[in-house]
Amino acid sequence: MAASRQSTHSAHDLVSARPLSTDDIATAQARRLRASWLKNHARTVYVLVGLLCAIVAIWQSWRISESNALAEVRRVGAERLTLYASTVDGALDRYRYLPFVLALNPAVKQLVAEGGARGRVNVYLETVNAQAGAAALFVMSANGETLASSNWSEPLSFVGQNYAFRPYFRRAMAGESGEFFAIGVTTGQPGYFMSAPIHGPQGIVGVAVVKVDLDRLQLDWAEGGENVIVRDENGVIFLSSLPAWKYHSLGVLDEAAMAQIRARRQYNNMPIPALPFKRPRLGVPDLVNIDGQNFVEHATALKQAGWTMHYLTPMAPIRDQVVGVVAMVTVSSFLLIVFLLYLRERRERRRARDAADEAKALRVLSRQLQLEIDERKRTEEELRSTQNDLIQAGKLAALGQMSAAIAHELNQPITAIRTFVASGRRLLSLDRKDDLDRNLASVSGLTERMAVITGQLKTFARKSEGRNRPVRLDEPVTAAFALLDGQIKAAGVHVVRHTADAALVVMGDPVRIEQVLINLVSNSLDAMREVEAPVLTIDIRAEGDEAVLTLSDCGHGISPEVQHQLFDPFFTTKEVGEGVGLGLSISYGIVADMGGTIRAHNNPDGAGACFTVRLPVVTEEPSHE
Ligand code: ADP
């Protein structure tokens, strides 16, 4: 019982230094639960992580491909815009000199100043325009009336029309060159008017004008599949590759702008509807939405006052391109996820297979181990019983050796008893009852002594139960010396006992401890046979939590050659019939069974051997059978 309690305690010590608290158990349980939750939901977690990665990859691919596409569109847009802006300038520059040339013509001057030959000037203008290729050339009087025009012969001739309300007329009359885009009030054709003052002897007498048709430019842009618009200072689109947007404003025009347009009759009093316009994305300032369509916008101011040219790249193809890339990345991501899941499943299946194989192998192994353990147990049982038999045999052998001493020990009281009995008879015949009583008391004392000797022999011969219990170490020691008392005396050995710590309690079987002592003392007696004044010293002391028993003799000691074989079974240096070589080997087994050790060495002074037995001390009270 005590032994099992002790083993539980030491096993417990191995597992943990302090007792497990309910907190520890709860933490361990939570950890186990978490681990098993992770195991059960591993696939879901993998899929979620995969999806998250896929979403990030898709989002990144969308962002990067869009920004790349936008960068390319911006680069191309900037180039195109510069090109188209220069074509507008070029188209106008070709004619810019012409009003000045007309204003210098003497016939023109004369017509304007004095009302000369109108027909000649008409023909002159027509001839010049046939070469120049402008929409029209015309000359106005100081009050704004058209005196001669290159289209004099056409049904919608400017001749006789008054355009004094046009800003280009006013500027030329003020001595500057004028430029103005407007829809012609006579023809309804839009055009760009450039004017120059005609100087007479008394100052400005009239205005020479060239009207340039810009429709060709728009057609070129439209044919090139480009979206190009030009807005005036009020925001009205007057040139556009998309005809539907022409004469529309981007955003609603304010009242002042409308009034100005009306006064100049710039757009022939047409309504100027506003095109729906907004900037749909905060982070992309050049993204505009016009009339429901998204464009990347590039704008530049043209040389002409207030004009702005816009080059618009539709977002639809960019979006298609981005959607294509995103779709590709999406499909690839999902394919990758599916592939990784497939790999994982395969690995899991293989692992499960391996685990099953391993479990099977383990089962086989554990079955084998169990068989082996059973076998070992059986062998151990056999060994134990053999050991017990050997102890018994050893004891009987010792009894054999002791028999002479015992016989001597018993002989003495028997002889004495015989003498006492003889003298007792005599005393009886003499009726000396008192002396007879003393005589009988002596006989009784002697028989008691004999009973002690035989009792000890009985105890020695009895077979051990083999059960350990707490026992005072000095008890089996005293019993062993009592048993061997006869032999010790016969050999004339002086025994010195240092047993200050004799009350030490160890866990063991007293009969077996006694057996160990008898073996050791018998060996010492044998070793000191040739010694003149043999002394045997026994010492019992405590060292830490161990009881240390040393038995030191002054015999022949242990030679180095045999030192390492002492505890081997059947090792003996004694003559045949004197020793069987089992004493120390059995003693070794007994001490080891009790959790102790036994060592042999020679005394430091070189005389005799010393055997040291160490046994763990227990705190329990000694118990008796
Ligand atoms: P046995 O006594 O039958 O020979 P043991 O196992 O008891 O068997 O002893 C084995 C051997 O150890 C002995 O033969 C002896 O050589 C040696 N031995 C044991 N005790 C002593 C001792 N006190 N002094 C010298 N040698 C010893």
Side-chain angles (χ1 to χ4, degrees), residues 523-524 527 553 556-557 566 571-574 579-584 609 611:
N523 280 341
S524 289
D553 61 40
H556 54 69
L566 283 189
F571 172 77
T572 181
T573 55
K574 295 174 190 169
V580 286
L582 284 175
L584 286 183
F611 282 77

Side-chain angles (χ1 to χ4, degrees), residues 401 519-528 551 553 555-559 562 565-574 578-587 600 602 608-611:
Q401 281 180 2
N519 281 336
L520 296 181
V521 174
S522 303
N523 280 341
S524 289
L525 296 183
D526 287 347
M528 294 190 293
L551 194 74
D553 61 40
H556 54 69
I558 304 155
S559 61
V562 306
Q565 302 178 74
L566 283 189
F567 296 97
D568 290 353
F570 303 109
F571 172 77
T572 181
T573 55
K574 295 174 190 169
E578 279 196 8
V580 286
L582 284 175
L584 286 183
S585 116
I586 290 170
S587 300
N602 282 323
C610 176
F611 282 77

Side-chain angles (χ1 to χ4, degrees), residues 74 126 280 306 365 452:
R74 283 178 189 133
E126 190 180 11
L365 208 68
V452 169

Side-chain angles (χ1 to χ4, degrees), residues 535-555:
V535 179
L536 183 64
T537 311
I538 174 145
D539 183 277
I540 299 175
R541 64 181 189 281
E543 256 184 42
D545 52 1
E546 279 183 330
V548 182
L549 183 152
T550 38
L551 194 74
S552 169
D553 61 40
C554 52

Side-chain angles (χ1 to χ4, degrees), residues 118-301:
R118 193 182 282 232
R120 235 180 76 206
V121 176
N122 274 336
V123 172
Y124 166 71
L125 292 174
E126 190 180 11
T127 314
V128 171
N129 200 30
Q131 287 304 312
L137 304 177
F138 56 100
V139 175
M140 300 164 84
S141 69
N143 60 13
E145 191 191 332
T146 307
L147 299 175
S149 169
S150 61
N151 62 1
W152 62 275
S153 59
E154 290 168 22
L156 295 174
S157 162
F158 295 167
V159 178
Q161 301 293 334
N162 191 310
Y163 301 124
F165 55 87
R166 295 291 205 196
Y168 62 81
F169 170 75
R170 296 211 192 115
R171 283 185 70 86
M173 285 307 290
E176 291 172 36
S177 60
E179 296 193 5
F180 188 61
F181 181 88
I183 297 178
V185 287
T186 314
T187 59
Q189 294 295 320
Y192 190 69
F193 298 87
M194 291 182 278
S195 64
I198 303 170
H199 295 275
Q202 280 89 39
I204 296 167
V205 287
V207 175
V209 185
V210 58
K211 178 182 178 184
V212 181
D213 183 4
L214 292 174
D215 278 1
R216 187 66 248 160
L217 283 176
Q218 305 175 105
L219 284 177
D220 288 348
W221 299 337
E223 277 165 15
E226 308 278 33
N227 299 313
V228 184
I229 58 173
V230 182
R231 297 194 298 157
D232 68 13
E233 70 269 35
N234 292 317
V236 179
I237 300 167
F238 62 91
L239 288 178
S240 169
S241 59
L242 294 140
W245 291 1
K246 218 159 147 181
Y247 309 125
H248 285 66
S249 63
L250 288 183
V252 181
L253 293 180
D254 60 23
E255 207 32 60
M258 281 308 290
Q260 191 189 42
I261 292 166
R262 265 197 304 274
R264 293 163 169 184
R265 293 173 66 184
Q266 192 175 2
Y267 297 111
N268 218 2
N269 290 341
M270 283 200 309
I272 310 285
L275 276 179
F277 174 84
K278 57 183 180 232
R279 298 195 182 273
R281 253 160 65 189
L282 266 178
V284 196
D286 55 353
L287 185 67
V288 292
N289 183 293
I290 304 174
D291 207 10
Q293 248 187 300
N294 281 340
F295 296 95
V296 180
E297 178 197 43
H298 311 270
T300 185

Side-chain angles (χ1 to χ4, degrees), residues 58 61-71 73 280-281 287-289 292-296 313-328:
I58 291 164
S61 68
W62 173 75
R63 216 177 54 82
I64 292 168
S65 61
E66 192 194 55
S67 87
N68 284 350
L70 280 178
V73 160
R281 253 160 65 189
L287 185 67
V288 292
N289 183 293
Q293 248 187 300
N294 281 340
F295 296 95
V296 180
T313 313
M315 270 300 278
I318 297 174
R319 202 189 48 230
D320 291 350
Q321 189 183 333
V322 172
V323 166
V325 172
V326 169
M328 216 171 68

